[in-house]
Amino acid sequence: MKYIPNTDNEKKGMLKEIGVSSFNELIKDIPENIRLKRALSIPGPFDEEEIKERVYLIAGKNVNFFSFKPLIGAGAYRHYIPEVIKAIVSREEFYTSYTPYQPEISQGNLQSMFELQTHLAKLTGMDVVVPSLYDGASAVAEAVLMAVRITHKNRIIVSSLVHPHYREVITTYTEPHDIEIIELPFDKGCTDFSDLKNQLNANTAAVVVQSPNFFGGIENIAAIASEIHDTGALLIHSIAESISLGLLTAPADMGVDIVAGESQSFGMDLNFGGPYNGYLATKTRFLRQLPGRIAGETVDKNGKRAFVMTMRAREQDIRREKATSNICSNHALNIVAANVYLSLLGKNGLYQVALLNTKAAHYLKRKFAETNNFEVFEYPFFNEFVVKSKIDISEVKNRLSRKSFIPPLRVDRFYKKCENYLLFTVTEIFKREELDKIIEILGVSR
Amino acid sequence: MKLIYEKSVEGRKGYFLREDPYKEISLKDCIPEYALSRTKKELPEVSEVDVVRHFTVLSKLNYGFDDGFYPLGSCTMKYNPKLNEHLALLDNFIYAHPCVDEDFVQGSLQIIYELNQYLSEITGMDQFTLSPAAGAHGELTGVLIMRKYFMDRGELRHKMLIPDSAHGTNPASAAMADFNVVEVKSNKRGGIDLVELHKLMDEDTVGLMLTNPNTVGLFDENIEEIAKVVHSKGGLLYYDGANLNALLGIARPGDAGFDIAHLNLHKTFSTPHGGGGPGAGPVGVKKHLVRYLPTPIVSYNGEKYFFEEVGEKSIGRLSAFFGNFSVLLKAYVWILSMGDEGLKETAKTSIINANYVMSKLKKFYKPVYDRFCMHECVLTGREYKKYGVKTLDIAKRLMDYGFHPPTIYFPHFEPYAEETIMIEPTESESKENIDLFIDTMIKIAEEIKAHPEIVKQAPHITPISRPDEVRAARNPTLIFKEINENR
């Protein structure tokens, strides 16, 4: 049988050595009543070539995504992924290994965790980092639970421009815990903080702001930090597009207490939504409330540098119901991907990618402003921006897909009142000529 | 080994990007001053060659399944087929954006839809959600469904029963749904103590989370009675699928009275562990719970696959998008490779292999329960304590012989399971590798008697010797700081 080395003869011999005459003697504990007495109704077994043909055929039912460049982002970004990353993460030592509970034979994973922790600390200005949670949504939900534990308060104020799916996940995670969630409205492309002062009270655990926000808008986080801290609440900064950190002020320098990020942009494929990789970054004083695995440096018996998983007393396998979270498996292989990506791009590369994203997106927006088909809005943004279309939305979709572009996101999918608004995302994968072509396609009246 | 930061050389580049084609646009006009970082972030500056060498050397400090025997009990470290990896990297899949219209992604949706059907058939459940990203994420989904079910019935229940042998994630997940965890003791045969279960199960109890085969590698023979007790008080029975490998094609949790089940595709369904993830933790439910599943699910109308919202009773959303698609795809491919015949053979072989290990080692390492086991056996290192050798030392010594150690100190519950060594050979291991492992375990037992120091100081030939974990926790160094920054 495929993937099972032992032959029938060998199995027979082993049964004999175990001291039974048939396999059935080994499974006597399974009551007859609940045994399955028929074949499972599933296809296969197929040989390798048959499977390839089948799956290629299914893959062919998707559009040819490689040549369809996406003008859609909304929490999942297509950036260029250098070949080095795939070459490294497809090494069996990384992808077939287990969680590094045995540090003597897991230094590769452990050092890689430690290095990504350092990269993310440099990008966010924070002291401590959890390098992997499932995704940006679970990261921000965990950050909210963490803030509730730290402050012993239960009111959370969330910007309505935090990714709508992230907000849904916050709701799912907090629902059992008597946590009150208040939403702040938005004005144009940024959160309207004018009511924040009134909403903040002595029972507020945290304010959650995403920047760049769901509309790509850059929030003036520093401006709200002190009024939040004055009430004893924490400031949580959600980041869906972490490439922005190559250009934007480190969250710690803006008064942020907890960064809850998504690192998909650091070398991870779109993959129809996953696996991506969430992370948390915070101050040392909140270390013991962090969920998930953290690597730390130490020495071995001979004084040689070594890395281990540390601060383990927070985790479920030790603390059971008193753990800071139930998380066990995280997205470890994507730690390696993000580490390789950030190491390779380095100080200058990440800056350049972030710069090109910003400029390309602003270039397209300015061009839209020159056409009669779109209304544009003035707000600071990174690589995504909202426009109001004067042509029919389905017409926009058709024109773009005919020329092999994935159309932008319809904003009314999430914000019902925003009919005819489109969220355009432009990353470095677009050449200037392609952006000109998009204007040509959408700028004409027919 | 040096960190990538210690290899940094000012001005060195590993990534080349075309020149800025938008010279006419000034950055200051795009981003307000308050948001613009004054300096570039201090990432390392290294070349592509530096990076490739660095990570290649790092990889060699790791031990993967392809390097050798990986008998980690409860983790099901089976072979990760290369075919699966190849198919999960097809352009049409990896470049698929999660927010596009359904007509762009009919292929991806078909995979999700069909995998849902296969998993339902294999487990006897009625409908799955494939969005949970890991086993514990699946557990969270499951306990939230249980919570919603009772809320919907207008009942307030507070207790969750969890066996003392359960994985730590079970109580931790129950706590995330704000349930009070009540531990159920194991009996002297290794199953749930029925007398105690009768006593504990009441109308304030949500249900029981059960791993079966359980973490001592035994199938709970009283499963029908357990289900009856839980259901008689209106409770729900939750199946932790960590050990489903032993049951494939033989018995189905759905037929044994379970109402909810999570699976670990990175255990039973051959997808790689990736050094700790990403996996996938789909959750299946019986008909009466379908309306509480997380949203959305994929449906098919005979022509087209499409997303369907679950409705107002849904527990809501668990992930930013639809879960770990590439992991789901690998599991899908594995099921096609195995078919009914292969799944049955998987279970059967894994059970034979584990019993073979136990029968050969039980003279040297006393089993926690001396009965036939399922896909894993749990032995103990108790009798070597008198030589000053702990189970930990035995595990460490195995590394010197080229093996990944088994799971140790889990499960742990008194008086039965202490100093445990949990061995799961899976179906992937050949008889000669298993024999080599058995011989090595026996050899270590002899070493302990003759030269205990060798075992106590092990490992000797790994990239590092035992690290000082106390120092790591007492004096946490969690990021790299250049010396001058430390001052």
Side-chain angles (χ1 to χ4, degrees), chain A residues 2-3 5-6 11 14 17 20 29-31 33 36 38-41 43 45-46 51 56 58-59 61-63 65-66 73 76 84 91-93 95-99 102 104-109 111 114-115 117-119 122-123 134-135 165 168 172-173 175 177 245 247-249 270-272 274-275 296-302 304-305 308 310 316 320 326 329-333 339 343-344 346-348 359 397 406 413 428 432 435, chain B residues 1-2 4-6 14 18 20-22 24-25 34-35 37 40-42 44-46 48 54-55 58-59 61-67 70 72 75 81-82 86 92 94-97 99 101 104-105 107-108 110 118 121 136-137 147 166 168-169 173 176 221 224 250 272-278 317 320 324-326 332 336-338 340 345 349 353 360 371-372 396 399 427-428 430-431 457 463-466 468 477-480 482:
Chain A
K2 197 152 192 189
Y3 310 136
N6 287 344
K11 285 177 214 170
M14 291 166 87
E17 297 208 44
V20 294
D29 286 344
I30 306 177
N33 258 344
L36 187 67
R38 60 170 175 85
L40 290 166
S41 165
F46 296 112
I51 293 174
Y56 286 165
I58 297 173
K61 295 181 189 172
N62 281 358
V63 296
F65 273 109
F66 179 72
V84 171
R91 288 186 65 89
E92 68 83 18
E93 297 90 338
Y95 84 84
T96 77
S97 57
Y98 192 67
T99 308
Q102 299 292 347
E104 295 88 347
I105 49 174
S106 311
Q107 286 298 297
N109 278 332
Q111 181 168 333
F114 186 83
E115 287 176 345
Q117 286 166 203
T118 306
H119 293 325
K122 302 256 181 197
L123 293 179
Y134 310 131
D135 61 15
H165 286 172
E168 285 181 43
T172 307
Y173 271 65
E175 195 274 337
H177 301 288
L245 289 169
L247 213 50
L248 302 185
T249 311
L270 286 170
N271 255 328
F272 201 42
E297 186 179 337
T298 184
V299 291
D300 76 358
K301 235 171 42 186
N302 305 316
K304 192 171 165 184
R305 176 191 260 171
V308 293
T310 192
Q316 50 74 30
R320 297 178 82 87
N326 71 337
S329 285
N330 53 24
H331 286 180
L333 191 62
N339 184 9
S343 298
L344 190 71
K347 178 178 174 177
N348 291 302
K359 286 199 173 184
K397 178 187 166 181
I406 304 273
R413 234 174 99 173
E428 79 284 4
R432 185 172 176 140
L435 299 177
Chain B
M1 192 181 132
K2 275 190 177 178
I4 193 80
Y5 282 90
E6 293 162 314
R18 61 189 171 276
D20 175 9
Y22 310 101
E24 77 276 19
I25 298 179
Y34 62 77
S37 180
K40 289 182 186 171
K41 305 289 172 73
E42 289 298 328
E45 297 177 83
V46 285
E48 178 165 334
H54 179 78
F55 286 97
L58 275 188
S59 78
L61 305 178
N62 265 1
Y63 185 98
F65 175 89
D66 294 353
D67 290 306
Y70 227 116
L72 271 173
C75 303
K82 306 303 165 193
H86 165 75
N92 277 10
I94 64 173
Y95 291 108
H97 192 282
C99 298
D101 288 350
F104 285 88
V105 284
S108 303
Q110 184 179 342
Y118 302 163
E121 168 67 3
H137 208 210
R147 185 183 145 81
T169 49
S173 300
M176 286 186 81
E221 58 209 341
E224 291 164 293
I250 296 178
H273 279 73
R317 180 177 279 280
N324 292 342
F325 178 80
S326 65
Y332 175 89
L336 293 184
S337 302
M338 305 311 278
D340 168 67
E345 205 53 39
T349 312
N353 287 353
K360 295 269 176 177
R371 305 166 54 186
F372 291 132
K396 298 291 182 196
M399 295 182 209
E427 73 281 7
S428 302
S430 67
K431 180 173 178 295
Q457 297 302 321
I464 58 162
S465 60
R466 286 190 206 187
D468 186 346
T477 304
L478 307 175
I479 59 171
F480 173 69
E482 276 86 0

Side-chain angles (χ1 to χ4, degrees), chain B residues 108-126:
Chain B
S108 303
L109 293 174
Q110 184 179 342
I111 298 280
I112 293 178
Y113 180 79
E114 290 183 353
L115 180 60
N116 201 318
Q117 289 192 314
Y118 302 163
L119 296 178
S120 300
E121 168 67 3
I122 291 167
T123 57
M125 306 309 281
D126 292 313

Side-chain angles (χ1 to χ4, degrees), chain A residues 59-85:
Chain A
K61 295 181 189 172
N62 281 358
V63 296
N64 182 1
F65 273 109
F66 179 72
S67 40
F68 269 68
K69 288 196 176 174
L71 285 159
I72 191 168
Y77 302 94
R78 179 155 157 201
H79 291 286
Y80 181 71
I81 301 178
E83 287 302 328
V84 171
I85 292 155

Side-chain angles (χ1 to χ4, degrees), chain A residues 242-258:
Chain A
S242 287
I243 291 287
S244 62
L245 289 169
L247 213 50
L248 302 185
T249 311
D253 296 340
M254 303 187 292
V256 170
D257 298 291
I258 307 172

